Amino acid sequence: MDNGNAPNGRKGTYWLVGVEGKARKVRLPINTPLLIGRGASNHIVLDDPRISRQHARLAPEKDGAVIYDLNSANGTIVNGVAVSKHKLQPDDIIRFARYAFRIEHIVDADTPPGDVETPTLVATESVARMLVARESTGSGERHLVDLTQLEDAHQKLGTLYGFMKAISSTIDKGELLRLIGGKIREVYPLARAVAIYIRNSGGRGGGSFQLAHFTGASILSDEPALPDDVSEGLLTSAQAFLTGESPESTRAPGGTDMFAPMIDRGEVLGVIHVAAFENRAAFSKADLGLLNGMAATSAMMLQNTRMHDETLLRDRLKYDLELAAKIQKSFLPREVISVEGLELFAEYRAAYTVGGDFYDVFWVGEDKLAVFIGDISGKGVAAALLMARISSELRVAALAHVEPAAVMTAMNDAILASDQPELFFTAIYLTFDVKTGEINLANAGHPTPYWCRPGKPLEAITGGAASAIGILDDPGFIATSFCLEQGESLVLYTDGVVEAANARGSLYGSERLEDCLAGVTSTRPNDIAERILRSVEEHAMDTAVSDDLTLFICHRTSGRMATLQPQRRSGQMSAVNVPIPRNPVPSTEPR
């Protein structure tokens, strides 16, 4: 084709000739428009990230060849100058990043420049086809590529992108399924119906999938459901198929159907079923491939909605647990009271948000305080619910019977009468005469309390011990009595102290607790508690706590003392002046 005049006026053809690198193998006549760029749909494909997908266009025109820059990112350089449009002359040098080409003009009587040994890219008269010679191992092998395939791939990617963009606008599962079904019907206008099935948790075989969304001109059946053979085939192969191509399935009466599994991280989450109108074989392999791509995107978004729902559920559970913790704390004394001649300390630490440890202190007579500490079997929410019940019932029993053995017996009878064999608890209940210092104590399977006396050996209170409440019909509860003198302390605790474990699994144990208490130099409750808690923490280090921990310490002071008392607030102590009311007649009204 004649496309220009040489400087001497003779007719001829302009050629694009590579001069550097791999471009040296390019020799192309500029007799049809040529697209140059990084994208696969160009006539000349230059693999360099600095080159735009469609970088430039070479075109034969009336007076010769012209190059146009297509708004490229890094420009088209002719003879060292960036151009947007330039009429080419022989020996012009064109650069695209690291590639360089020279323009040559060949008159009709001449031969093409150089030896066209390995044409890297030769344009043909057809816009739909191009001949690409790819460099392979030791040869210049040619491959014929159909531009229609590239256009189809581009259209498919565009469809998938539009589909993903549409369904990613929501995190609500119901809305997501509606968008998936609606967009698929838009993509397949010949679809009679689109059904989306979600896999039952852990389901295998027939009945593994449940209909979650349906959209279409008519229902698939009276009870839309995936056939058992289709379910089994999808779970086994995890591949999309057209009805009739899978040996496990049979052709549906409504025409050719497509089934595509929604797979995320190797797990089949559901199935998309697209049904054609009757008597129409409407879907091809290409349609199935496109549906499979949309199913993969749908699976990813469906998993996102699941994670969102799980996050909402966790947040709700967290809120409920925090509320339960507040309610549980309302069953414990708001302040650990101090009265003239007596100082009390309490520390409560739940292993989880809520726990099963409990304690209480209240008046059961004009000069007599009742104290109890206990540990419900189990941990977490169940133990916390039982703790609320037990602490209330124990207070009622104490106000009714007062004496430790009678109170423990009444509680044991009540628990056995509830006919809940899994329910039992350990507890210590004692009464304390604030005038004389006399203590009557009964122990129902609870860890041994300790009596700390200045200048005397530590003493374990082993008397008054019996089995836990709720196990035996007649545990034979008894009480032991002793007098807490001025300057002495009684240390009560739950098994969260002695069963605190370190990273090696070694328990803190009673021996360490005795050594800790034997070394105290002050019997004041705050000093004893601080020493115990520090010793337990040093043993456990950073090991996660596995059991609730409660400390309760009674200390008889020397002489009159102020009613300054420690207050429990998330495990920290602060002083408040709140004297306990002393009712001459114990009240049985609920708190």
Side-chain angles (χ1 to χ4, degrees), residues 274-289:
V274 182
F277 284 95
E278 295 182 4
N279 303 320
R280 295 186 186 178
F283 305 125
S284 65
K285 285 278 191 179
D287 293 325
L288 185 65

Side-chain angles (χ1 to χ4, degrees), residues 19-25 98-99:
V19 296
E20 289 183 9
K22 293 182 179 179
R24 285 181 300 173
K25 298 183 179 182
R98 59 189 173 92
Y99 296 96

Side-chain angles (χ1 to χ4, degrees), residues 112-145:
D115 186 7
V116 187
E117 296 178 354
T118 313
T120 302
L121 201 48
V122 179
T124 67
E125 294 291 290
S126 171
V127 180
R129 306 178 69 82
M130 65 181 177
L131 188 65
V132 181
R134 300 184 183 274
E135 291 187 70
S136 57
T137 311
S139 67
E141 183 180 351
R142 296 182 177 184
H143 302 278
L144 192 63
V145 178

Side-chain angles (χ1 to χ4, degrees), residues 141-160:
E141 183 180 351
R142 296 182 177 184
H143 302 278
L144 192 63
V145 178
D146 194 341
L147 283 179
T148 305
Q149 295 177 354
L150 297 176
E151 292 172 0
D152 290 343
H154 181 268
Q155 183 179 7
K156 179 180 178 181
L157 289 175
T159 301
L160 288 175

Side-chain angles (χ1 to χ4, degrees), residues 23 35 41 61 132 138 166 184 221 253 272 296 307 309 312 323 347 360 405 413 416 440 478 495 506 535 556 586:
L35 289 175
S41 60
E61 295 188 0
V132 181
I184 290 177
S221 63
I272 299 176
M307 294 171 63
D309 291 342
L312 291 179
L323 181 60
E347 177 80 2
D360 203 355
D413 293 342
L416 292 176
N440 290 317
I478 57 174
D495 57 8
S506 174
S535 177
R556 193 173 182 197

Side-chain angles (χ1 to χ4, degrees), residues 578-590:
V578 185
I580 184 171
R582 299 182 59 179
N583 301 324
V585 180
S587 172
T588 58
E589 293 182 2

Side-chain angles (χ1 to χ4, degrees), residues 338-344 369 432 434 554-557 561:
S338 294
V339 295
E340 183 178 337
L342 182 66
E343 188 177 355
L344 304 176
L369 280 175
F432 182 85
V434 296
C554 305
H555 175 74
R556 193 173 182 197
T557 61
M561 64 167 290

